[in-house]
Amino acid sequence: MSTRQAVYPKSGTVQQQAIRSSRSVLYRTVVAGDLLVLLAFAVLGEWARWQVRPDLGLAFVPVIVTVLAASCIFVLLASGEARLVERPRAARRAAVNWTLAFAAVSPLAYVMKGDVAEATLDMASWYALSLAGLVGWRTLVSEALLRVPRFRSRLAERVALVVYDDAERAVDWIARVEGATRGNARVVALAAPGHDATVPGVAQAETIGDLVMRCDEYGVDRILVAAPDIPGRELAHRLQPLRCCAVEVDAVANGYDPDIARWPAVSFAGIPAVRLVTRPLSDTQVFVKRVEDIVLSCLALLFLAPVMLAIAAVVKLGSPGPVLFRQNRHGFNHACFKVWKFRTMYVDTSGSKDVPQARQNDPRVTRIGRFLRRTSLDELPQLFNVLLGEMSIVGPRPHAVEHNEFYGPLIENYMARHRVKPGITGWAQVHGWRGETAYLEKMKARIDYDVWYVDNWSVILDLKIIVMTFSVLWHPNAY
């Protein structure tokens, strides 16, 4: 069994779409509450000071600017943390986000107020009161979600269960998992390879490859494998495709098998298991990478704004059509998003859905587009994708959906590149793997570099790739 047998899924079921919608609404509601807390304490503090000194007049203007700046940074830091909203550590993460946002805008507050002593008093009181309000609000949300059965069921950790036991025992395994977690986990998908183990209310994946491709559709947080009687080597071979998943994969297996005993021992709600796959980035690493992306993308947009405006004008004047080009790409955990680029080709009026890769002397590319593609300047609008949390500055390049559908079944571990967010630049690109991949071997080599990056991520590696990117901006393969 390998990822070669996997195909891309259609859209999710109504039930799974409802789950994702509920989480999205919850996340937006909680963040809106965060912003109300920040605004309320800022306004309350200034109102109290104004009662004491009515002559402050326009001194309220710097407060508005500072609050808006801090709120924007806070929201950017919080983006991508929807999975943490309902968990107890959400209050701690909100406190860290607020501390970073506050630290970022503090210099602005001192510059605008002018009076260091007054600014220090105002900022210290605002920070302390807002921090207490945020922690209280997030704690209230977590407690409410844990105690209200309706929300608890919707927001429980979603588990995909792979059963290599008797098919008739699938229901028993589901009951064991959900019972052991006392409602904090719910089995949303079931794969029983070689068996028809239909369970009402649980989506069924026919193969391991099918489950891998549908992890995002099912909203899976964890995969649990029940294989008590399968030897370790055989189990490792069967579950090889699961190494492409961006979630933790645990197995309940024969712990006396020496091959299985070498895997790290873990426990899932009291159920002894071994860890087959670890998330490529921990929560802390995801947070660090998100901060890195926000800081670098904001600095880049600040300095490159004139360049981007000039490019937009030249693209618009150079040929008919929109300035920006948007295309569906697969991102983190195979989720689909629209990538932004400066348009470098003439507008296609044929209505064809085929998206062939750009090739040397491609007649579709405009004159200015050829220069933009050679210098990678056409990628600059993706800085906004980074701010939205859809991409990172550094990561595997997002391929067109059509190209993923073609290469996914052909290349082993192709889908492992989706275990982290795609990037504007990447480890493969700085090693020359850019442009057209006319041969399958070229794409395999690019994927090898992408997978290595996923398995070896660090901030230092990201900074190294960014520096190396400047040396390959003009590349003969980028056409």
Side-chain angles (χ1 to χ4, degrees):
M1 178 64 207
S2 75
T3 51
R4 294 189 179 92
Q5 296 172 287
V7 294
Y8 275 83
K10 301 296 183 182
S11 58
T13 63
V14 174
Q15 182 183 16
Q16 298 302 329
Q17 290 172 352
I19 291 174
R20 290 198 299 272
S21 177
S22 296
R23 287 205 148 200
S24 179
V25 170
L26 169 68
Y27 169 67
R28 292 189 178 96
T29 301
V30 172
V31 173
D34 294 339
L35 295 178
L36 285 176
V37 168
L38 297 179
L39 181 61
F41 280 108
V43 171
L44 182 62
E46 287 303 306
W47 178 83
R49 292 180 63 251
W50 184 79
Q51 293 295 313
V52 178
R53 290 185 56 191
D55 60 318
L56 287 174
L58 295 178
F60 193 65
V61 174
V63 176
I64 296 176
V65 175
T66 305
V67 170
L68 291 177
S71 299
C72 289
I73 296 174
F74 180 85
V75 171
L76 288 174
L77 289 172
S79 63
E81 293 186 0
R83 291 176 59 185
L84 298 178
V85 165
E86 72 278 6
R87 300 181 185 181
R89 63 178 178 273
R92 183 172 66 250
R93 181 55 58 83
V96 174
N97 287 344
W98 169 233
T99 301
L100 291 174
F102 177 83
V105 302
S106 292
L108 176 65
Y110 281 107
V111 169
M112 297 188 69
K113 278 193 174 285
D115 189 328
V116 174
E118 182 180 348
T120 300
L121 178 62
D122 290 350
M123 296 296 288
S125 60
W126 180 40
Y127 169 76
L129 291 173
S130 297
L131 179 63
L134 281 174
V135 172
W137 163 244
R138 286 296 186 105
T139 302
L140 181 64
V141 169
S142 297
E143 287 299 316
L145 294 175
L146 287 174
R147 298 179 186 279
V148 179
R150 179 181 177 184
F151 285 123
R152 188 175 179 180
S153 174
R154 283 275 180 167
L155 301 171
E157 183 177 20
R158 291 172 300 285
V159 178
L161 184 63
V162 178
V163 177
Y164 280 112
D165 203 347
D166 294 334
E168 295 77 12
R169 295 194 59 194
V171 175
D172 296 335
W173 275 108
I174 292 174
R176 182 180 179 185
V177 170
E178 294 183 347
T181 59
R182 299 182 180 180
N184 291 324
R186 189 160 67 91
V187 177
V188 297
L190 172 66
H195 299 282
D196 182 11
T198 303
V199 177
V202 178
Q204 183 177 6
E206 296 181 1
T207 64
I208 296 293
D210 187 35
L211 177 63
V212 169
M213 305 309 300
R214 294 178 179 270
C215 273
D216 181 65
E217 177 187 338
Y218 297 148
V220 172
D221 294 319
R222 179 190 301 270
I223 297 176
L224 185 66
V225 180
D229 300 320
I230 297 181
R233 291 187 180 181
E234 181 181 350
L235 182 62
H237 175 71
R238 292 190 186 187
L239 301 180
Q240 180 66 27
L242 294 182
R243 298 189 179 278
C244 299
C245 298
V247 298
E248 291 171 340
V249 180
D250 299 332
V252 180
N254 182 2
Y256 295 101
D257 187 311
D259 292 310
I260 294 177
R262 285 198 291 265
W263 292 329
V266 295
S267 176
F268 177 62
I271 302 175
V274 291
R275 177 66 43 83
L276 300 179
V277 178
T278 302
R279 288 175 56 193
L281 301 181
S282 66
D283 285 342
T284 300
Q285 290 174 321
V286 169
F287 177 73
V288 170
K289 190 166 175 60
R290 180 62 182 151
V291 173
E292 170 195 315
D293 288 336
I294 292 172
V295 171
L296 294 179
S297 59
C298 286
L299 290 174
L301 286 171
L302 179 64
F303 288 104
L304 296 175
V307 176
M308 295 176 68
L309 289 174
I311 293 174
V314 173
V315 170
K316 189 64 178 178
L317 295 174
S319 62
V323 170
L324 296 177
F325 169 74
R326 296 188 301 169
Q327 187 181 45
N328 287 331
R329 301 287 175 98
H330 278 124
F332 175 68
N333 214 18
H334 320 303
C336 199
F337 73 101
K338 289 188 179 295
V339 70
W340 294 68
K341 302 176 71 173
F342 284 119
R343 181 175 57 84
T344 58
M345 294 185 177
Y346 295 103
V347 175
D348 183 9
T349 58
S350 66
S352 174
K353 295 183 178 180
D354 293 332
V355 187
Q357 288 185 324
R359 55 190 183 276
Q360 193 168 16
N361 300 320
D362 197 319
R364 299 172 299 164
V365 180
T366 64
R367 285 192 299 175
I368 183 61
R370 189 163 285 109
F371 171 78
L372 294 177
R373 296 175 77 92
R374 274 287 172 86
T375 57
S376 298
L377 291 174
D378 61 318
E379 312 284 358
L380 289 181
Q382 290 167 31
L383 291 168
F384 293 105
N385 287 114
V386 174
L387 283 179
L388 291 172
E390 298 166 334
M391 293 180 62
S392 288
I393 295 292
V394 181
R397 285 293 299 155
H399 296 166
V401 172
E402 292 80 3
H403 299 157
N404 276 355
E405 290 175 345
F406 176 78
Y407 288 110
L410 299 177
I411 300 177
E412 190 78 28
N413 287 332
Y414 181 91
M415 307 316 296
R417 64 197 309 275
H418 295 298
R419 299 178 70 206
V420 297
K421 290 180 182 178
I424 298 178
T425 184
W427 188 238
Q429 282 64 45
V430 298
H431 283 85
W433 297 105
R434 296 178 59 189
E436 183 183 15
T437 50
Y439 303 101
L440 186 62
E441 288 72 20
K442 288 186 175 182
M443 181 59 82
K444 287 181 178 178
R446 179 186 292 184
I447 299 307
D448 287 342
Y449 277 94
D450 286 340
V451 173
W452 186 91
Y453 169 81
V454 173
D455 292 336
N456 295 275
W457 177 86
S458 70
V459 174
I460 299 299
L461 178 60
D462 275 1
L463 296 178
K464 177 181 178 180
I465 292 172
I466 291 171
V467 173
M468 293 176 67
T469 298
F470 290 101
S471 66
V472 296
L473 285 178
W474 185 278
H475 197 280
N477 291 344
Y479 42 75

